[in-house]
Short mmCIF file of all heavy atoms in Angstrom, two decimals:
data_model
loop_
_atom_site.label_atom_id
_atom_site.label_comp_id
_atom_site.label_asym_id
_atom_site.label_seq_id
_atom_site.Cartn_x
_atom_site.Cartn_y
_atom_site.Cartn_z
N ASP A 20 -30.70 14.72 -104.28
CA ASP A 20 -29.41 14.22 -104.89
C ASP A 20 -28.43 15.47 -104.87
O ASP A 20 -28.45 16.22 -105.88
CB ASP A 20 -29.59 13.67 -106.23
CG ASP A 20 -28.31 13.03 -106.74
OD1 ASP A 20 -27.25 13.42 -106.26
OD2 ASP A 20 -28.45 12.18 -107.63
N LYS A 21 -27.63 15.67 -103.80
CA LYS A 21 -26.82 16.84 -103.71
C LYS A 21 -25.74 16.90 -104.72
O LYS A 21 -25.37 17.99 -105.23
CB LYS A 21 -26.32 16.98 -102.31
CG LYS A 21 -27.40 17.16 -101.31
CD LYS A 21 -26.87 17.25 -99.82
CE LYS A 21 -27.99 17.43 -98.81
NZ LYS A 21 -27.54 17.32 -97.44
N VAL A 22 -25.20 15.78 -105.14
CA VAL A 22 -24.17 15.66 -106.14
C VAL A 22 -24.66 16.17 -107.46
O VAL A 22 -24.08 16.96 -108.16
CB VAL A 22 -23.55 14.23 -106.18
CG1 VAL A 22 -22.56 14.10 -107.35
CG2 VAL A 22 -22.89 13.90 -104.85
N ALA A 23 -25.84 15.59 -107.81
CA ALA A 23 -26.45 16.03 -109.14
C ALA A 23 -26.78 17.46 -109.18
O ALA A 23 -26.56 18.14 -110.13
CB ALA A 23 -27.71 15.17 -109.41
N ALA A 24 -27.35 18.00 -108.04
CA ALA A 24 -27.60 19.42 -108.00
C ALA A 24 -26.41 20.24 -108.18
O ALA A 24 -26.44 21.23 -108.88
CB ALA A 24 -28.30 19.70 -106.65
N ARG A 25 -25.33 19.93 -107.40
CA ARG A 25 -24.11 20.68 -107.53
C ARG A 25 -23.58 20.67 -108.94
O ARG A 25 -23.09 21.68 -109.44
CB ARG A 25 -23.09 20.15 -106.55
CG ARG A 25 -21.80 20.92 -106.43
CD ARG A 25 -20.85 20.38 -105.30
NE ARG A 25 -19.71 21.21 -105.16
CZ ARG A 25 -18.60 21.07 -105.86
NH1 ARG A 25 -18.51 20.15 -106.74
NH2 ARG A 25 -17.58 21.87 -105.61
N GLN A 26 -23.63 19.57 -109.61
CA GLN A 26 -23.08 19.49 -110.98
C GLN A 26 -23.91 20.35 -111.94
O GLN A 26 -23.29 21.02 -112.73
CB GLN A 26 -23.14 18.00 -111.50
CG GLN A 26 -22.16 17.06 -110.78
CD GLN A 26 -22.37 15.66 -111.22
OE1 GLN A 26 -23.39 15.19 -111.72
NE2 GLN A 26 -21.26 14.81 -110.99
N SER A 27 -25.24 20.39 -111.74
CA SER A 27 -26.02 21.26 -112.58
C SER A 27 -25.76 22.73 -112.34
O SER A 27 -25.67 23.49 -113.32
CB SER A 27 -27.51 20.95 -112.25
OG SER A 27 -27.87 19.69 -112.59
N LEU A 28 -25.66 23.06 -111.10
CA LEU A 28 -25.35 24.44 -110.70
C LEU A 28 -24.02 24.99 -111.20
O LEU A 28 -23.85 26.15 -111.70
CB LEU A 28 -25.51 24.68 -109.25
CG LEU A 28 -27.04 24.38 -108.69
CD1 LEU A 28 -27.05 24.64 -107.21
CD2 LEU A 28 -28.05 25.22 -109.37
N LEU A 29 -22.96 24.05 -111.08
CA LEU A 29 -21.65 24.43 -111.50
C LEU A 29 -21.66 24.58 -113.01
O LEU A 29 -20.95 25.47 -113.57
CB LEU A 29 -20.65 23.26 -111.12
CG LEU A 29 -20.25 23.36 -109.59
CD1 LEU A 29 -19.44 22.18 -109.29
CD2 LEU A 29 -19.61 24.63 -109.24
N GLN A 30 -22.41 23.81 -113.78
CA GLN A 30 -22.48 23.94 -115.22
C GLN A 30 -23.05 25.31 -115.55
O GLN A 30 -22.56 25.98 -116.51
CB GLN A 30 -23.36 22.86 -115.79
CG GLN A 30 -23.28 22.78 -117.30
CD GLN A 30 -24.06 21.57 -117.88
OE1 GLN A 30 -24.31 20.63 -117.13
NE2 GLN A 30 -24.29 21.64 -119.12
N ILE A 31 -24.00 25.83 -114.83
CA ILE A 31 -24.59 27.11 -115.10
C ILE A 31 -23.54 28.23 -114.77
O ILE A 31 -23.38 29.15 -115.49
CB ILE A 31 -25.86 27.32 -114.20
CG1 ILE A 31 -26.95 26.37 -114.62
CG2 ILE A 31 -26.33 28.80 -114.32
CD1 ILE A 31 -28.13 26.36 -113.70
N LEU A 32 -22.84 28.06 -113.60
CA LEU A 32 -21.86 29.06 -113.29
C LEU A 32 -20.64 29.04 -114.25
O LEU A 32 -19.95 30.07 -114.32
CB LEU A 32 -21.33 28.69 -111.86
CG LEU A 32 -22.21 29.17 -110.74
CD1 LEU A 32 -21.79 28.55 -109.39
CD2 LEU A 32 -22.22 30.67 -110.63
N ASN A 33 -20.50 28.13 -115.02
CA ASN A 33 -19.44 28.08 -116.10
C ASN A 33 -19.82 28.87 -117.33
O ASN A 33 -18.99 29.23 -118.11
CB ASN A 33 -19.11 26.61 -116.54
CG ASN A 33 -18.25 25.94 -115.56
OD1 ASN A 33 -17.43 26.62 -114.83
ND2 ASN A 33 -18.35 24.66 -115.45
N TRP A 34 -21.13 29.26 -117.49
CA TRP A 34 -21.55 30.12 -118.56
C TRP A 34 -21.02 31.51 -118.25
O TRP A 34 -20.91 32.01 -117.10
CB TRP A 34 -23.02 30.16 -118.70
CG TRP A 34 -23.66 28.85 -119.07
CD1 TRP A 34 -23.00 27.85 -119.80
CD2 TRP A 34 -24.96 28.39 -118.82
NE1 TRP A 34 -23.94 26.83 -120.06
CE2 TRP A 34 -25.13 27.11 -119.49
CE3 TRP A 34 -26.05 28.89 -118.17
CZ2 TRP A 34 -26.29 26.36 -119.45
CZ3 TRP A 34 -27.25 28.19 -118.13
CH2 TRP A 34 -27.37 26.94 -118.75
N ASP A 35 -20.78 32.23 -119.37
CA ASP A 35 -20.25 33.55 -119.28
C ASP A 35 -21.33 34.68 -119.24
O ASP A 35 -21.44 35.49 -120.16
CB ASP A 35 -19.26 33.82 -120.50
CG ASP A 35 -18.59 35.14 -120.45
OD1 ASP A 35 -18.37 35.64 -119.21
OD2 ASP A 35 -18.16 35.67 -121.46
N PHE A 36 -22.14 34.57 -118.22
CA PHE A 36 -23.27 35.55 -118.13
C PHE A 36 -22.90 36.83 -117.38
O PHE A 36 -22.02 36.74 -116.51
CB PHE A 36 -24.58 34.95 -117.50
CG PHE A 36 -24.37 34.38 -116.04
CD1 PHE A 36 -24.57 35.19 -115.05
CD2 PHE A 36 -23.99 33.05 -115.90
CE1 PHE A 36 -24.41 34.71 -113.67
CE2 PHE A 36 -23.78 32.51 -114.58
CZ PHE A 36 -24.04 33.36 -113.48
N GLU A 37 -23.46 37.90 -117.63
CA GLU A 37 -23.22 39.13 -117.01
C GLU A 37 -24.50 39.78 -116.37
O GLU A 37 -24.36 40.83 -115.74
CB GLU A 37 -22.60 40.18 -117.99
CG GLU A 37 -23.44 40.59 -119.22
CD GLU A 37 -22.70 41.51 -120.10
OE1 GLU A 37 -21.45 41.58 -120.03
OE2 GLU A 37 -23.39 42.24 -120.85
N ARG A 38 -25.57 39.19 -116.61
CA ARG A 38 -26.89 39.68 -116.01
C ARG A 38 -27.85 38.42 -115.77
O ARG A 38 -27.61 37.41 -116.48
CB ARG A 38 -27.56 40.75 -116.87
CG ARG A 38 -28.19 40.24 -118.14
CD ARG A 38 -28.80 41.37 -118.92
NE ARG A 38 -27.83 42.38 -119.32
CZ ARG A 38 -27.01 42.28 -120.32
NH1 ARG A 38 -26.98 41.24 -121.10
NH2 ARG A 38 -26.13 43.35 -120.52
N VAL A 39 -28.87 38.58 -114.88
CA VAL A 39 -29.75 37.46 -114.66
C VAL A 39 -31.14 38.02 -114.66
O VAL A 39 -31.50 38.94 -113.95
CB VAL A 39 -29.50 36.81 -113.27
CG1 VAL A 39 -30.24 35.46 -113.18
CG2 VAL A 39 -28.00 36.51 -113.08
N ILE A 40 -31.96 37.37 -115.47
CA ILE A 40 -33.42 37.62 -115.39
C ILE A 40 -34.06 36.44 -114.64
O ILE A 40 -33.89 35.34 -114.96
CB ILE A 40 -34.00 37.74 -116.86
CG1 ILE A 40 -33.53 38.93 -117.53
CG2 ILE A 40 -35.54 37.68 -116.85
CD1 ILE A 40 -33.97 39.08 -118.93
N ILE A 41 -34.83 36.89 -113.65
CA ILE A 41 -35.54 35.91 -112.81
C ILE A 41 -37.02 36.12 -112.87
O ILE A 41 -37.44 37.20 -113.30
CB ILE A 41 -35.02 35.92 -111.32
CG1 ILE A 41 -35.18 37.38 -110.76
CG2 ILE A 41 -33.56 35.46 -111.24
CD1 ILE A 41 -34.72 37.51 -109.33
N SER A 42 -37.86 35.24 -112.37
CA SER A 42 -39.27 35.37 -112.43
C SER A 42 -39.86 36.08 -111.25
O SER A 42 -40.93 36.66 -111.37
CB SER A 42 -39.94 33.93 -112.52
OG SER A 42 -39.77 33.45 -113.82
N HIS A 43 -39.15 36.10 -110.08
CA HIS A 43 -39.69 36.68 -108.86
C HIS A 43 -38.71 37.57 -108.25
O HIS A 43 -37.69 37.19 -107.78
CB HIS A 43 -40.18 35.60 -107.89
CG HIS A 43 -41.03 34.53 -108.55
ND1 HIS A 43 -42.26 34.83 -109.02
CD2 HIS A 43 -40.81 33.22 -108.77
CE1 HIS A 43 -42.83 33.75 -109.55
NE2 HIS A 43 -41.92 32.73 -109.39
N GLY A 44 -38.97 38.82 -108.27
CA GLY A 44 -38.12 39.87 -107.62
C GLY A 44 -37.27 40.66 -108.58
O GLY A 44 -37.62 40.75 -109.78
N ASP A 45 -36.29 41.33 -108.07
CA ASP A 45 -35.59 42.34 -108.81
C ASP A 45 -34.52 41.69 -109.62
O ASP A 45 -33.82 40.70 -109.20
CB ASP A 45 -34.93 43.39 -107.82
CG ASP A 45 -35.91 43.98 -106.93
OD1 ASP A 45 -37.03 44.39 -107.38
OD2 ASP A 45 -35.66 44.12 -105.73
N LEU A 46 -34.33 42.16 -110.86
CA LEU A 46 -33.28 41.62 -111.81
C LEU A 46 -31.91 41.81 -111.21
O LEU A 46 -31.74 42.78 -110.47
CB LEU A 46 -33.47 42.22 -113.19
CG LEU A 46 -34.83 42.16 -113.85
CD1 LEU A 46 -34.79 42.77 -115.25
CD2 LEU A 46 -35.29 40.71 -113.93
N ILE A 47 -31.10 41.04 -111.65
CA ILE A 47 -29.60 41.13 -111.21
C ILE A 47 -28.71 41.53 -112.39
O ILE A 47 -28.50 40.84 -113.35
CB ILE A 47 -29.10 39.74 -110.71
CG1 ILE A 47 -29.97 39.34 -109.51
CG2 ILE A 47 -27.66 39.77 -110.28
CD1 ILE A 47 -29.76 37.85 -109.14
N ASN A 48 -28.40 42.82 -112.33
CA ASN A 48 -27.74 43.45 -113.52
C ASN A 48 -26.19 43.80 -113.19
O ASN A 48 -25.50 44.22 -114.14
CB ASN A 48 -28.39 44.79 -113.88
CG ASN A 48 -29.80 44.45 -114.49
OD1 ASN A 48 -29.93 43.57 -115.31
ND2 ASN A 48 -30.78 45.21 -114.09
N HIS A 49 -25.80 43.63 -111.98
CA HIS A 49 -24.39 43.89 -111.58
C HIS A 49 -23.85 42.79 -110.69
O HIS A 49 -24.56 42.27 -109.90
CB HIS A 49 -24.31 45.26 -110.82
CG HIS A 49 -24.98 46.41 -111.64
ND1 HIS A 49 -24.38 46.98 -112.63
CD2 HIS A 49 -26.16 47.08 -111.43
CE1 HIS A 49 -25.14 47.95 -113.09
NE2 HIS A 49 -26.18 48.00 -112.37
#
């Protein structure tokens, strides 16, 4: 369901985050 996926991801992008902690790989700090 690409429409539902896009809505979920856009909601996340609306958050005011400045770093990302992920489970696999290098953290995103910039």
